[in-house]
Amino acid sequence: ANYDNPPAVVMTDFDTLVMQPLDPVLDDFIADDTAAIAFGVSPPADGPGPFITTSPTAQPVTTPTAPPPTSAPIAAIPPGNTVDMGLVLLKPDANLAANITDAFMNTAYDPVDGWDSSGVGNFNGSLGAQGILTHYFQNVEPDKVKILDHCTYGNDHSGDCLDKPDGEVAVGKISTCGAPWTCPDLSGLAPAEKAKCE
């Protein structure tokens, strides 16, 4: 086997469980000539969301009134959502890697206004890969991203993903349930979430 030029790289987070073969999504991603990266988007948190919308100097950011559809891929990162780092598919591209690295090293980040005064900030992970990828693929090169179905390729067994049949989940996350080897206390979860975790 030659590993010098793989058509795609699969990255997963520590709380990710691959539950089904990823061949169909990989084949679709590789065949898409416009997509350089693919990932799911985390739905907005309860309340105002992870994006800063109150700063008078930030560029306008609109928060959707309803979460994005999860039954079909969407074309871009909706405002108020962040990159889900649970599953990331990437086509090796030295220029794109250099551009993202340059953006991370040289784009101003303000705790109030976010990355490049875009309003993308003030969420857990905003100063790391999740933050810069959210900013970059929402504001710099949004046409190079393929958004994966969150409940199929990043199912956290909560919220809008509770109704997804287990047999249709390709990638699950243990973040809502807690790491099974720690014997987490599930008593604080909603009954439907607790049932999915058990």
Side-chain angles (χ1 to χ4, degrees):
N2 181 350
Y3 295 104
D4 291 341
N5 294 304
V9 175
V10 177
M11 297 184 296
T12 62
D13 208 346
F14 288 114
D15 69 343
T16 301
L17 301 170
V18 177
M19 301 164 63
Q20 292 187 28
L22 297 177
D23 296 341
V25 71
L26 278 167
D27 290 344
D28 185 49
F29 172 62
I30 292 167
D32 187 337
D33 292 334
T34 62
I37 192 168
F39 43 73
V41 292
S42 297
D46 292 337
F51 285 69
I52 303 163
T53 59
T54 57
S55 170
T57 58
Q59 296 174 7
V61 176
T62 57
T63 303
T65 56
T70 56
S71 59
I74 49 182
I77 303 171
N81 296 71
T82 61
V83 170
D84 183 344
M85 296 299 294
L87 176 69
V88 178
L89 308 178
L90 179 67
K91 292 177 184 170
D93 180 341
N95 292 329
L96 180 61
N99 291 344
I100 294 170
T101 301
D102 182 64
F104 182 75
M105 299 298 292
N106 298 307
T107 302
Y109 180 84
D110 181 84
V112 175
D113 296 334
W115 288 96
D116 201 24
S117 297
S118 67
V120 176
N122 194 27
F123 58 90
N124 190 16
S126 63
L127 291 175
Q130 184 178 21
I132 193 63
L133 291 177
T134 300
H135 163 68
Y136 191 86
F137 288 106
Q138 187 176 64
N139 299 305
V140 180
E141 293 197 75
D143 57 329
K144 291 198 173 196
V145 64
K146 182 178 192 69
I147 304 295
L148 304 177
D149 176 50
H150 168 69
C151 293
T152 302
Y153 298 104
N155 192 309
D156 59 2
H157 308 296
S158 67
D160 59 334
C161 295
L162 281 173
D163 294 330
K164 187 76 158 180
D166 292 340
E168 295 178 16
V169 176
V171 177
K173 298 178 77 175
I174 62 173
S175 50
T176 298
C177 304
W181 53 88
T182 64
C183 300
D185 178 12
L186 303 177
S187 62
L189 296 178
E193 291 175 348
K194 183 178 177 183
K196 283 285 188 177
C197 291
E198 291 174 335

